[in-house]
Amino acid sequence: MLLDERTGGQLSIRPQGPFESRQRYLGTEERSAVLETRFKTATGEGRIIDWMPWQSSLPCLLRQIETQKGTITWELFCLPRFHYGQVHAKAELASRGIVFRDPSGTDQARLTGTLPVHLEPMLGAGVAKFALEEGKQARFAWSWGRSTSRTETLIDQQDFSTCLADWEKWTHQCHSPSGIRICPTEPLWHRLVIRSEIVLRLLTHAGTGSLLESVSTSLPCVSHGTQNWDHRYCWLRHLPDALEAWLQLGHTREAESLVTWLSDLMLSTPAQDLASAYALDGLPVPDERELHLFRGHDGARPVRTGNFSARQFQLDSFSSVLQCFAAVPSALENPSSNPSLWAKLDELSFLVAQLWRRPDHGIWDWRFRPEHYLSSKLSCFRGLDRTIWLHDHLGKSPPRRWIDERQKLKDTILREGFHRDRRGYTQAFGENELDSSALLVGLWGVQSWTEPEMLSTLIMLENELRDGLGLRRTKNTHSSPDFEGTHLLSTLWWIRALSEVGRGQEASQAFTELCELALPLGLLGEGFDRSSGQIVGNFPSTRVHGMALMTAVRLSRARQSTSARLRAA
């Protein structure tokens, strides 16, 4: 259970009595989101296969239970809780299962099975207990939404092999029709790339194309921590990395769908009113609330819904939109057919050229007073740089003011961002606090990695933020009452920096170790806690998986280039 195991709802199917279990994804190289859980008991062996139908518009989880050896008695328990455990569902027997409704009638869910499911009246739960002999199977479907009447058809007609074939067809191709290897990543990191690719697809909204940062809320980055945020929204700053990841593997349809969602958002919102994050349908993020009666993960509190940070003034939200359209220029290739969108982008570009001088809340959504954060200035520089490139690329002359402001911004970053006493770039102008985002000075091309300022910054961060596997996010003593361990996004920035400065072997080793963290299922969250040996934070993280995918591609290219030079010599 991720959250409250007493008040929260659950749907469990498992063998009766003690058992051992292990999990994996099915398919060639595990190229799917079809999950297999194998069980071993004193009386037999079996498995449960979980999948969601690829082509169905009905939100539905299908679960197939099989006994493969001996006889196993299986137990099912289903007790949903609407509105974060605050509302008890009304349960009613229905054809081949049970329908659960909240008292207001606005939400409903349905449990359907090929075997009878009984209603436990005291709890209002669906229960079943059944013995399956070797070679026998049963299926159950969990569906939700306003209409669940088609669940019976799905449970009878949908097979996981169809879903498996759909996933394998969708994932990137590694070989040409003639058998030549064309995969952009090396076999060493290929498994994590596949899993990251699939995570991005799973967290993409099928109707709008928008991208969820995480499916979980309130999972702390340290055991029993209090920095438990709700990231179940589409954060604008995460979209450029996601788009690059899509395009690296040839998923142009997903990239264009995301940009279409962003276009609709732009056309319906004044540029100055852009928020940092949105719900997947483009509506505002709900107000932040603490659910005091809800017990958090492993006892951590509080459990939060909504996010106050979505309403903060954050410069990188504006500039990230500019980066997105530069990543997919096809959305604007015919300027005459998109006059309104071009006008919006020009409006946003002028806004960034003006607003970069203001302090904001930074890349980490700090909840104290605004500062002149280095990361925010870097994002503004990158946004202006990419929109200038976009205009040039499409034959439009960018206004001179953008070019001038880009140079002024670069000069300000180099002058104000570098701390002479620290001998490195720091978190905010005039401050000596360290921050891993200083690596973006080099990664985003503001300054060359061959410059002494970048080399000394890298050394400084390694000396003071290194935490075993990688880097911590910051060294702020006032930013959080919780001690933060390894921050995976920061670690991926550091790995790419190592490759850029010619430390390719170290970069490859560090990335390989990071890939091993994701075992057994290949999923990554926000951080890694060395004391527990566990991935921590909201899970899985779209931004971490997107950056891991791109890091694998960059490192693979660097290794291939080095190998080619050695062969030529």
Side-chain angles (χ1 to χ4, degrees):
M1 297 290 291
L2 287 180
L3 295 179
D4 198 321
E5 60 186 15
R6 296 170 298 181
T7 307
Q10 61 175 293
L11 168 58
S12 68
I13 305 175
R14 59 186 181 182
Q16 183 183 44
F19 61 83
E20 298 176 0
S21 66
R22 66 182 189 275
Q23 292 181 308
R24 65 167 184 147
Y25 289 103
L26 298 181
T28 306
E29 296 185 292
E30 300 189 10
R31 288 174 176 261
S32 80
V34 180
L35 180 65
E36 177 192 70
T37 306
R38 287 188 172 271
F39 297 90
K40 185 175 183 179
T41 73
T43 61
E45 297 179 11
R47 67 175 183 172
I48 296 177
I49 300 173
D50 294 316
W51 76 99
M52 298 181 71
W54 181 275
Q55 303 295 342
S56 174
S57 59
L58 174 67
C60 180
L61 171 67
L62 294 172
R63 313 194 73 182
Q64 181 167 303
I65 302 94
E66 304 174 358
T67 297
Q68 297 172 304
K69 183 179 179 180
T71 299
I72 298 179
T73 298
W74 300 86
E75 296 179 327
L76 178 149
F77 182 81
C78 180
L79 181 64
R81 286 285 184 258
F82 294 105
H83 305 295
Y84 302 99
Q86 299 176 78
V87 177
H88 286 224
K90 296 175 62 177
E92 304 170 0
L93 286 173
S95 174
R96 299 174 65 181
I98 299 175
V99 173
F100 300 91
R101 295 186 176 90
D102 80 5
S104 68
T106 57
D107 293 312
Q108 73 170 23
R110 183 186 184 111
L111 177 66
T112 307
T114 58
L115 293 178
V117 180
H118 306 286
L119 179 61
E120 204 290 322
M122 292 295 293
L123 291 175
V127 296
K129 185 175 181 179
F130 51 93
L132 291 180
E133 298 175 347
E134 184 173 330
K136 300 297 183 180
Q137 68 177 42
R139 280 189 188 176
F140 294 91
W142 174 250
S143 56
W144 57 95
R146 294 184 178 181
S147 174
T148 58
S149 58
R150 290 183 288 112
T151 305
E152 293 182 29
T153 303
L154 286 176
I155 202 171
D156 290 332
Q157 298 180 358
Q158 280 281 344
D159 186 79
F160 73 86
S161 61
T162 302
C163 184
L164 199 60
D166 288 334
W167 275 112
E168 293 192 346
K169 181 179 179 181
W170 176 84
T171 50
H172 74 277
Q173 300 301 307
C174 294
H175 296 86
S176 69
S178 60
I180 299 174
R181 180 173 173 79
I182 57 174
C183 184
T185 62
E186 294 199 350
L188 184 64
W189 308 309
H190 197 236
R191 183 183 179 189
L192 181 61
V193 169
I194 291 174
R195 189 52 44 201
S196 297
E197 177 183 17
I198 291 173
V199 166
L200 290 178
R201 180 64 179 83
L202 286 172
L203 298 190
T204 296
H205 190 276
T208 65
S210 56
L211 192 65
L212 193 70
E213 163 54 16
S214 179
V215 294
S216 58
T217 180
S218 305
L219 303 187
C221 286
V222 293
S223 180
H224 303 289
T226 60
Q227 305 300 297
N228 310 334
W229 312 114
D230 184 1
H231 288 160
R232 297 171 300 163
Y233 309 102
C234 184
W235 296 82
L236 298 188
R237 72 163 63 97
H238 300 173
L239 300 187
D241 290 344
L243 281 170
E244 184 176 347
W246 282 137
L247 295 171
Q248 291 285 2
L249 298 185
H251 294 301
T252 55
R253 180 180 299 179
E254 284 74 14
E256 290 170 354
S257 179
L258 180 54
V259 171
T260 298
W261 176 82
L262 196 56
S263 300
D264 293 341
L265 181 66
M266 285 283 294
L267 292 173
S268 63
T269 309
Q272 68 273 14
D273 292 340
L274 277 177
S276 301
Y278 289 87
L280 296 182
D281 56 5
L283 292 177
V285 171
D287 292 335
E288 186 171 306
R289 294 191 304 137
E290 294 185 3
L291 306 180
H292 297 290
L293 299 180
F294 213 57
R295 185 175 181 268
H297 178 67
D298 197 26
R301 293 177 185 271
V303 173
R304 291 184 172 94
T305 64
N307 200 307
F308 167 77
S309 298
R311 292 169 173 77
Q312 288 180 327
F313 175 64
Q314 296 178 357
L315 286 167
D316 59 3
S317 300
F318 303 107
S319 55
S320 292
V321 175
L322 300 178
Q323 296 175 52
C324 287
F325 283 96
V328 188
S330 59
L332 294 160
E333 282 180 348
N334 186 0
S336 62
S337 64
N338 298 280
S340 299
L341 187 56
W342 270 109
K344 279 287 187 179
L345 287 175
D346 285 352
E347 178 187 357
L348 186 59
S349 300
F350 278 110
L351 193 66
V352 171
Q354 174 186 355
L355 292 180
W356 69 263
R357 294 172 175 82
R358 287 180 53 182
D360 75 334
H361 291 276
I363 194 173
W364 308 128
D365 305 331
W366 298 129
R367 299 195 172 202
F368 31 87
R369 67 183 178 88
E371 299 275 0
H372 288 284
Y373 289 107
L374 175 67
S375 60
S376 300
K377 312 305 181 186
L378 290 169
S379 183
C380 289
F381 171 86
R382 187 166 175 80
L384 286 175
D385 184 68
R386 298 312 296 157
T387 198
I388 291 169
W389 174 89
L390 178 64
H391 279 67
D392 288 336
H393 178 72
L394 297 180
K396 288 172 65 72
S397 298
R400 183 68 202 179
R401 183 185 171 189
W402 299 353
I403 299 173
D404 292 341
E405 289 297 325
R406 179 181 61 177
Q407 187 60 47
K408 290 178 183 177
L409 183 48
K410 179 177 180 178
D411 293 341
T412 302
I413 290 171
L414 298 180
R415 182 181 65 252
E416 303 292 338
F418 190 81
H419 197 287
R420 301 299 169 184
D421 295 335
R422 277 290 210 172
R423 297 181 58 81
Y425 289 96
T426 52
Q427 185 178 82
F429 290 176
E431 292 192 0
N432 62 4
E433 299 283 4
L434 301 188
D435 194 305
S436 62
S437 63
L439 295 170
L440 297 175
V441 177
L443 294 176
W444 284 354
V446 177
Q447 191 171 43
S448 170
W449 286 103
T450 60
E451 295 295 330
E453 291 87 353
M454 285 310 307
L455 296 174
S456 61
T457 295
L458 178 57
I459 293 171
M460 175 187 67
L461 294 177
E462 288 180 317
N463 287 339
E464 301 193 42
L465 295 186
R466 186 72 185 272
D467 180 65
L469 172 75
L471 295 188
R472 297 196 299 276
R473 182 171 56 162
T474 73
K475 201 178 180 181
N476 277 6
T477 56
H478 61 283
S479 65
S480 167
D482 303 331
F483 172 79
E484 290 187 348
T486 304
H487 187 247
L488 295 189
L489 180 62
S490 301
T491 298
L492 289 163
W493 288 339
W494 169 65
I495 290 171
R496 289 178 61 175
L498 292 179
S499 179
E500 294 287 345
V501 299
R503 295 163 60 183
Q505 187 172 353
E506 290 180 66
S508 296
Q509 179 61 34
F511 189 62
T512 300
E513 292 176 0
L514 185 142
C515 291
E516 292 172 352
L517 283 184
L519 297 175
L521 292 180
L523 299 175
L524 295 169
E526 296 176 82
F528 176 71
D529 183 1
R530 281 199 296 162
S531 62
S532 66
Q534 299 292 321
I535 295 289
V536 293
N538 284 316
F539 180 85
S541 167
T542 295
R543 195 173 195 192
V544 170
H545 275 286
M547 184 59 65
L549 192 159
M550 291 189 295
T551 301
V553 171
R554 299 287 179 88
L555 292 183
S556 295
R557 288 175 179 167
R559 284 164 63 97
Q560 292 161 10
S561 177
T562 300
S563 298
R565 287 198 303 270
L566 292 175
R567 288 195 300 269

